[in-house]
Amino acid sequence: MKSIVNDEQYGEIVYEESFWTGKKQLTIGNTKPEKISKNTFSFNDGEKFVAVTLKGNSKTGVKMIIGERTIQLSPPPKWYDIVLALPGFILILTWGNSVPLCNILPVVGGAIGGGLSAVLAFITFFAIKSANKIWLKMLIALAGAAVAFLICWGIGEALVAALGA
């Protein structure tokens, strides 16, 4: 994830975070601050060296604290981003625990279905957070729920066939 913010005092601030490793890189103006620890950097603001601290991550929103100032580098997720990621998980949780529904279409529930649908809900959340338009967020949520249902349905059908029920 890459975020670019223009600040009146420090100019262009570029924040990059690796999705897989969480490694953070920061550029303030055209200067790369010296990395002190995972979330702390040292930066010469022209007069003196100041500590730059990063709070949060690309999933929860990132704030940069430099001296007494706090600069928002990436926004936190909106409440509806989180809510839109849940329907697939809730669908499998409900369907997998209902005998009449499983008689119609068997889906794997319990720990396997819950775990799979939870992983897919997290993936859906990350995809939703990266989308800008609300209609696209809703489309991603629908696709995530459909993928969760189809995978759990396929596993449920395989289990029923294997058990010969």
Side-chain angles (χ1 to χ4, degrees):
M1 183 212 71
K2 184 176 186 178
S3 177
I4 300 172
V5 174
N6 287 313
D7 185 67
E8 67 276 351
Q9 183 177 353
Y10 297 109
E12 184 178 79
I13 301 170
V14 180
Y15 170 75
E16 292 182 74
E17 182 178 332
S18 170
F19 176 79
W20 300 106
T21 63
K23 183 179 176 187
K24 299 174 182 179
Q25 294 181 352
L26 186 64
T27 305
I28 302 173
N30 291 326
T31 309
K32 269 192 159 301
E34 181 183 337
K35 193 169 194 172
I36 297 172
S37 68
K38 183 178 177 183
N39 293 322
T40 308
F41 297 81
S42 177
F43 172 67
N44 185 352
D45 68 354
E47 300 172 11
K48 61 182 183 228
F49 281 94
V50 292
V52 178
T53 306
L54 298 175
K55 298 262 184 190
N57 58 41
S58 62
K59 290 98 179 147
T60 61
V62 179
K63 292 180 182 178
M64 179 179 81
I65 301 167
I66 183 166
E68 297 296 319
R69 290 192 59 208
T70 300
I71 301 169
Q72 188 79 41
L73 298 180
S74 73
K78 306 274 192 283
W79 66 269
Y80 52 82
D81 291 343
I82 297 167
V83 169
L84 284 172
L86 294 177
F89 177 71
I90 294 169
L91 177 66
I92 296 303
L93 198 66
T94 305
W95 197 292
N97 287 310
S98 172
V99 175
L101 290 174
C102 282
N103 286 335
I104 299 169
L105 286 175
V107 298
V108 67
I112 296 170
L116 284 171
S117 60
V119 167
L120 288 167
F122 277 111
I123 293 169
T124 302
F125 169 71
F126 296 139
I128 286 171
K129 190 166 180 333
S130 67
N132 294 329
K133 300 189 183 327
I134 191 69
W135 65 267
L136 185 57
K137 291 176 185 265
M138 293 170 72
L139 190 64
I140 291 168
L142 183 63
V147 168
F149 187 81
L150 290 172
I151 289 173
C152 290
W153 177 37
I155 294 171
E157 285 286 350
L159 286 173
V160 168
L163 295 173

